[in-house]
Every structure is written in C-alpha cells, then in structure tokens.
Amino acid sequence: MTLRCEKAQALCQKDQAAIFEAQKLMLEDQEFIDRIQESIGQDKRTAVYAVLQTSEFYADMFLGMDDELMRSKSADIRDVSSLLVRCLSQGKADKKLLAPGIVVADYLLPGDLVEMGRENLLGLVVRHGSPSSHLAVLATGMNLPMVVCPDLDIEPALEGKTLAMDGGEGLLFIEPDSSTQTLLKEKAQELIYRKQVLASTGEELCYQGRRIELLANVGSIEDIRQAIQAGCDGIGLFRTELSFLGRQELPDEDELVEYYSQCLELMPDRPLVFRTLDIGSDKQIQGLSLPQEANPALGCRGIRFCFAHTDLFKTQLRALLRAAVKGRPALMFPMITSVEEVAHIKALLREAADELKQAGLPYRDHLPLGLMIETPAAVVLARELAREVSFLSIGSNDLAQYTLAADRENEALADRFNDRHPAVMKMIALTVEAARQEGVALSLCGELARDTQALPQLLETGLTRLSVSPSRLEAVKAKIRQLCKQ
Ligand code: PEP
Ligand code: MG
C-alpha cells in the first residue's frame, strides 16, 4: 500500500494521491481487520475468501448510503481488497499437491485449478460452483471428477477422513465402506477400458445419412494428446486463455509461437481451431490488474477485453500466424455481438501480419476465421456474421447464460441455467438455419454438445459438428451410434 501511495504521488497531484492514504487507513481499521480474522478463525474461510466477503459487506454498506461521497467509498473498499487478494495470491508459492488427493474447497477459480495442475489431483469438491461454470468446464477438460456439495460441512467434519467420489453421478462418499470402494474402483476400470476400445475403432459416425464430425474442446497440449487417443476428428475449440491463467508473467510472443507450434505438430492432418483469448468474467489473469466490474459477465470479456488490450491481443495474433506455418489452424473469436467487431478483428489481423512481414519473420496469412455464436445478438445477426467468415461455432454455455439472463457461475440459479431450455434450442435452430443459408460450416462447442439426452434434438436441427471435452468423446460417440440404429 505504501508503494501504491508513493507511485500515486509520483503520478498525480498530492490531494489525488491522498485517496491512497485514505485506503491505507482502511487497511488499518480494526473493525475491518476483526471481521477478516473472524471469517478465517471462526468460519474457517480461506484468507482470500475472507477478504472478499468482508470487502463486499462494507462495499454494500457504503453503497446503501445517501451521501454521494460515502457511496464512492465502496470503490475504494473493493480496490483495497483486490490489492490484498493479489498480495495473498502472490504469497502462495506453489499450489501443486505433494501427494495424491481430492481437493475440497468453498470456492475455486479456474486459475487456482490451473496452478494446481493435474499431478496428484484426483478430484474436486466445492461448496460453491455449478456444473456450467468455467471451473467445471476446465475440470471436465482435465478429465477430473468434480462434485458440488453446497451443504458440506468442510471442517471439522472432513478432517482426517477418507473420501471417494463418483463424478458422473455427482456423489461424494465420506468414509466409504469397502464394498462402495470396490464398486467405485470397478466403475473407474470399466470407464478406462471403454475409452481404450472405442478410441481404437476409428469409425465414421452418421445420423440420417449425414456424417457427424466429433471434435474436441481442449486447453492444453496434454488435452490434445487425450483427444487424439480418444479418436477425435480434430480440435473444435482450443481455449487459449487457459495457458495464461495462474501466471504472474504473461507469455511472450516467442513462447506462444513455440507452444502453438507444438500443438499443431500433434495435429498435422486434422482441423485445429484456436479461440483467441476469452479473458474476463471469472477468467482473470494474475499478471494483469484489471478493474473490478459490477457485472463481469456483461463486462469487458472476450473480444471486448482483446480490443481494450490490443498489445496483448496482437502478440497472440502474431504468435498464431507464425505458428501457422507448422499446420493449418483456424482462428475463432469469442463474445461477438456485431459485424463491426469482425471488421476490427480483420484490421488487427492485417496489422499483425504486416508487422511480421516487416520483421522478416515467417508466417502464414489468410487463415480460416470463425466466430463464436454465444450472445443473442450474434444469433440474430448470424447470417450477416456468417458472410464475413468461414465458420461459426455455437457456445451454448454463454448463449444459455445470456438468453436466459441466468449467471452460469451462480449455483443459486442452477435450475434456471438450463441449456436445454426451449429458448436456447430455438436460438440454436436459428443459427443452424443461418449457417445453412450462407453455406458456412457450423459446430456446437458448449457443454450442451456432450449432453447425451439433448443429442437427438440437437442432431434433428441439422447440426453435424459437435465439439466436446476429450473425456466425453466416448459417451457421445456411443449415443450417436445408438441413435443411428433406431
Ligand atoms: C461457451 O460459452 O459455450 C463456450 C464454449 O465457451 P466458454 O465455456 O469457454 O465460455
Ligand atoms: Mg463462452
């Protein structure tokens, strides 16, 4: 905080810098400190959670006041708490597990999971979360079982206890008896066996005479390997932001070129769609201090974030164009709401290519471009958008969130966030029709694509390309095969 005050004094007038002196006083406020300590000591919250909870309490209190000046203090409270949270996060040297285990937490961010890594991690149990959250998406991609248990009494109930879980059924067992343990082990073996058998068949899937392509959603090189093993037709969604999460320092252009080249070398003869950074909302980069937003899901995320951080975006674009000499990737852009955004993307791509040309670096230009259809605006404009690019991909997670006005991260709205809702299905059917009329390829890459119960309805719309996490490829294949026989 002192450093912040000094920096502010160097940057602005003394009376403006005094804001930070006032913030410093907040940090010394005994009531503020007591609340945080109480939350950690009595309620057994993590330090980060305690800081956030306490700051929200005070921010809300100030926001409810009549006086304008007092209301503005809520922003200071949030600012101070974000600084505290950053300090606390940087203090955590290494989140990796030293021995195999299930991680149980009140709340986890996608970045926490990335930092933990897959090694020794057997499963996740969280009290706050939802099956459609980015954390759940990431866990599925990592082939990691995750269970949400809102009523779980973490401490002291779990101390020293043996835990087992069934991610498929969403069940957590505390001190399971030996027959439950045997049953769960057999189920795990069966899953591994079925994956191996199905991956080795290399069959072509059809539905009503149409070839169905099954692609994979990935976020890392390890995911690509798994997808290949599971017999995918290509990568329909590479969530590139995942390799930025949980890092203090952002990767530079050369590091990204190396990373994307390795991915392409693994997939020389199948499509690989890199989605550019979808940062914002719950996907935050530690190395960037972004302002807190009141409604982050409706805020500066996806392409909006990239337009606001063109240096970072163009670094990624240049890296992708350079790596493209190793294969034939396609580029896809998230959170599109207008044709103007596409024009701006193309202008930035042009600049990126020109910069590479000037620097004399090898690159491949004119890559196939695609857009995520994940906002109602994009559905309504799907035909106009389709005319600008080679392909579209429906992001049903966000499309459901924005169509139903139900935050996908909010477990209290889990029953409202229904990606099989008739309104979402209608949005999908409209997009299929728009893509057909404009003659562009279309895929569905949200979690709905892996929902075997929704598959008949999805295939009936005319969809022929689905992209799912590697761990779900086998179940989706089996369902399509079964539908074919009916
Ligand atoms: C989606 O929104 O459906 C999607 C695939 O993107 P993400 O889950 O990464 O937001
Ligand atoms: Mg999305």
Side-chain angles (χ1 to χ4, degrees), residues 53-159:
Q53 189 190 39
T54 306
S55 86
E56 280 313 295
F57 171 82
Y58 284 109
D60 280 350
M61 190 179 87
F62 281 116
L63 272 178
M65 293 183 178
D66 291 335
D67 186 278
E68 181 72 22
L69 190 71
M70 293 309 271
R71 276 206 303 278
S72 71
K73 291 210 177 300
S74 64
D76 288 324
I77 293 273
R78 289 196 168 120
D79 201 12
V80 164
S81 79
S82 77
L83 184 72
L84 268 180
V85 167
R86 266 210 305 284
C87 294
L88 287 166
S89 313
Q90 281 163 8
K92 276 180 212 162
D94 198 351
K95 290 188 180 156
K96 296 206 177 317
L97 298 193
L98 298 175
I102 293 173
V103 165
V104 185
D106 265 324
Y107 185 75
L108 275 178
L109 286 170
D112 296 326
L113 180 53
V114 170
E115 274 184 61
M116 269 186 253
R118 188 69 179 81
E119 200 181 343
N120 285 331
L121 187 55
L122 301 178
L124 293 180
V125 179
V126 287
R127 284 188 46 204
H128 302 281
S130 80
S132 52
S133 64
H134 280 122
L135 181 72
V137 170
L138 190 56
T140 312
M142 290 164 78
N143 211 1
L144 192 66
M146 171 175 151
V147 174
V148 180
C149 299
D151 301 325
L152 187 67
D153 190 3
I154 296 183
E155 257 183 283
L158 297 183
E159 207 161 294

Side-chain angles (χ1 to χ4, degrees), residues 155-228:
E155 257 183 283
L158 297 183
E159 207 161 294
K161 301 253 165 77
T162 302
L163 300 182
M165 58 195 289
D166 180 338
E169 300 292 332
L171 296 174
L172 174 71
F173 300 88
I174 301 169
E175 297 287 22
D177 57 26
S178 62
S179 64
T180 310
Q181 288 191 30
T182 312
L183 212 73
L184 288 173
K185 277 185 193 148
E186 280 172 9
K187 211 167 165 181
Q189 286 304 327
E190 166 71 9
L191 271 177
I192 293 169
Y193 172 75
R194 277 173 51 201
K195 269 185 196 158
Q196 285 167 348
V197 170
L198 287 168
S200 61
T201 58
E203 65 179 320
E204 287 208 343
L205 295 166
C206 286
Y207 180 78
Q208 295 183 347
R210 285 179 270 125
R211 159 112 164 85
I212 307 295
E213 276 178 76
L214 217 46
L215 307 159
N217 293 347
V218 298
S220 66
I221 292 186
E222 186 41 42
D223 287 353
I224 297 182
R225 291 204 179 95
Q226 270 190 40
I228 293 171

Side-chain angles (χ1 to χ4, degrees), residues 269-340:
D269 48 2
R270 279 176 270 189
L272 200 170
V273 178
F274 287 106
R275 178 180 73 186
T276 56
L277 291 171
D278 186 14
I279 296 295
S281 200
D282 68 322
K283 288 189 265 191
Q284 298 289 341
I285 302 183
Q286 278 193 358
L288 285 177
S289 44
L290 302 174
Q292 286 199 355
E293 297 176 292
N295 288 309
L298 300 179
C300 188
R301 63 165 290 201
I303 203 68
R304 302 167 187 183
F305 168 89
C306 288
F307 289 165
H309 298 84
T310 37
D311 281 354
L312 181 57
F313 188 37
K314 278 200 342 198
T315 301
Q316 185 182 38
L317 292 179
R318 281 193 304 270
L320 287 164
L321 296 183
R322 285 173 61 189
V325 295
K326 291 274 165 51
R328 289 253 165 214
L331 306 186
M332 182 161 77
F333 303 91
M335 281 291 289
I336 299 296
T337 54
S338 73
V339 175
E340 288 70 30

